[in-house]
Structures are given as structure tokens and as C-alpha cells.
Amino acid sequence: MLFQPFDAPIGADVLDTRLEEISETEFNQLYEAWLRWGVLRVRDQQLSDESLKTFSARFGELEYAPHGKVTSEELAKIPNPFVATISNIVENGKPIGGLSNLETSWHTDMSYIEQPPTASLLYAVEVPDHGGETSFCCMRTALADLPENLRIQCVNLQIKHDAAHDSIGKLRRGHEPFNSAEKAPGVYHPALTVHPETQEPALFLGRRQFAYVDGRTVAESEALLDAIWTHVAQAHQCWTQRWKNGDLVIWDNRVVMHRRASFPNAERRLMRRTQVKATTKPTAAVAP
Ligand code: OGA
Ligand code: MN
């Protein structure tokens, strides 16, 4: 299996591969490469929902797509609950998928649950001619770039990750609006984590909006988060994916955050997406 790293702190292309056909040995090489580079891109694939699901499940048990606050009965009625659609396409007056054509802010997928997904896989079925690029920020580099005084403040820091909004700022199904980060529903995670498989430290922020630092006033929390975020997502920490139909991008949420640029709503974008269940909670790094 051939890999070509990008000119960035994260990411590599997997060359000349048909993912449905790779052997156990090849998958293990791909898995190691994914751990090493944090983001892999595989071009020219022709994946049905079923083959995307089967391939994704080689990384581990699949995690449900985010459906907001739903009961188990409602969840049971959702067809194909492990393969989500990300799209701006509207059919019969109803959006066929999530996230519309708007910009999504920097985020880590489903970081508001106790054990956020490890891998996310996003497959391009139909992409617009303009916009809709997805950028990835290396959180190992972001941590290394933090000034010493901020890095020290991150030790033992717990940040609450808002469950109520998606990455275009829309309230998820079943959630009530609120206006203060303190009131956001969600879970706390350490700001400094260590990757359970590579042991590498990284910064873990989730999303800026409605994030809240444990034990602080809202004003203190906002000031500290603003100070940290100023150093994050600088160009040299990032790599940007310009999509072509048939691209599959697999990222490790324990290492990268991502954001998507907006695109003209007159154009169509259709993506399918899966994610892999974690078996551990994010673990705090003991030292910066
Ligand atoms: C996602 C996501 C970005 C995109 O699927 O988790 O953030 O490029 N998508 O559609
Ligand atoms: Mn996402």
C-alpha cells in the first residue's frame, strides 16, 4: 500500500486502492497510516452505502450518526442510522441531509458525548464546482504552538462540549434554546488529551460556541477560551481537502478538528458519512 503525505502536519493520500478489495494486511497498513497522519484521503472510489458501511466497520463498531435528542423508539425508525447524509439538496420541500450549504465552524465530531467517535469517514458522491472545501487542523501542532503560559493553564482543565447545536449553529432536534455557555447541555472533557493508541498529546477543544471551562465564571471561561483559540487553526497547522467525486476522507477525531467552507446553494453537494464508536473516554495528558 502506497501513501503520499501532504505538505502539512497531517494527512496523506492512499494511492491506487480499491477499498472494497483490500486484504487484512493492507487494512492494517492503512490503519497504522491513519494513526500516523491523522487524515487519509482515498480518491476514485465507487462506494455504495453498504460498502461504505462495511469498510468503515473495519475500524471498529459503528457509532450512530448525530440525530439530536431522540428516544430509542424514534432511533429505531430511522432508516440506515449509521450512514448519514450531508447535503444541501432539498427534495419535496425537505432537506435530504444535514448541514445545508453554510460554513461549519471548527469542531470535533460529537465531542459532546462521553466517548466521542474515533474515526469519521466522509465520502463525496456529488460535489459543487465552487466552495465546500473541508479543512483539518492538527491538534498536536496546535498544542505545540500554544504559548507556555496557556499550555500550563490547560493542565487539568476541563471543557464542557455543547450538545445542543450542530456545527452550523443550528439547534439539534429535541433541544431548547439558551443564551449562556454555562447552561449548555453536554459533557466535560480534558483540554489536554493523550491519544490512547499513539500516546501523543493533543489539544481537545470541540467547538468554540457555547464551550465552557469548568469552575470559572462565564466571563473568565470566555476569556481563556478566546486566548487559546487565537493560536488554533493557523494556516501552517492545517490541510484543506478540495473534493472530487469519489473521494473518501477518513480522519481521527482524537488528532484533528475540521471545518467546512460554505458553497453556493444553487450548486449541489451530496456526501455520505459514517463514524466509529470509541471504547474509551478522552484521557487527560498529565503534563503539557
Ligand atoms: C461532518 C462534517 C463537513 C463537510 O460530516 O462531520 O463536518 O465537508 N462535514 O461536509
Ligand atoms: Mn464534522
Side-chain angles (χ1 to χ4, degrees), residues 86 99 104 107 109 120-122 132-134 167 243 251 258-261 269 271 273 275:
I86 305 292
L99 302 183
T104 73
H107 67 279
D109 289 330
S120 293
L121 297 92
L122 192 60
E133 302 89 357
T134 308
S167 52
W243 294 95
W251 64 88
H258 56 286
R259 81 173 269 275
R260 182 194 69 193
R269 188 175 188 269
M271 320 288 281
R273 174 188 192 290
Q275 50 189 0

Side-chain angles (χ1 to χ4, degrees), residues 101-164:
N101 69 314
L102 300 177
E103 175 185 337
T104 73
S105 55
W106 285 106
H107 67 279
T108 303
D109 289 330
M110 281 173 78
S111 64
Y112 51 86
I113 66 173
E114 290 285 348
Q115 300 191 355
T118 54
S120 293
L121 297 92
L122 192 60
Y123 176 63
V125 180
E126 191 178 347
V127 295
D129 291 334
H130 310 93
E133 302 89 357
T134 308
S135 298
F136 296 87
C137 174
C138 176
M139 299 306 276
R140 300 194 281 243
T141 310
L143 173 60
D145 285 350
L146 269 194
E148 184 79 21
N149 72 318
L150 282 175
R151 215 174 316 143
I152 289 167
Q153 289 190 70
C154 286
V155 178
N156 296 326
L157 198 73
Q158 296 275 329
I159 299 177
K160 186 172 59 174
H161 294 236
D162 168 36

Side-chain angles (χ1 to χ4, degrees), residues 20-61:
E20 295 110 306
E21 290 167 9
I22 62 174
S23 66
E24 192 63 29
T25 309
E26 287 171 315
F27 179 76
N28 291 340
Q29 288 173 354
L30 183 141
Y31 190 92
E32 289 303 316
W34 170 71
L35 285 178
R36 175 170 175 191
W37 283 298
V39 184
L40 292 180
R41 175 175 67 186
V42 201
R43 304 209 105 151
D44 300 315
Q45 301 304 296
Q46 290 188 346
L47 300 175
S48 63
D49 281 1
E50 207 48 44
S51 53
L52 173 61
K53 201 165 124 181
T54 305
F55 174 70
S56 304
R58 294 179 84 166
F59 286 81
E61 193 184 331

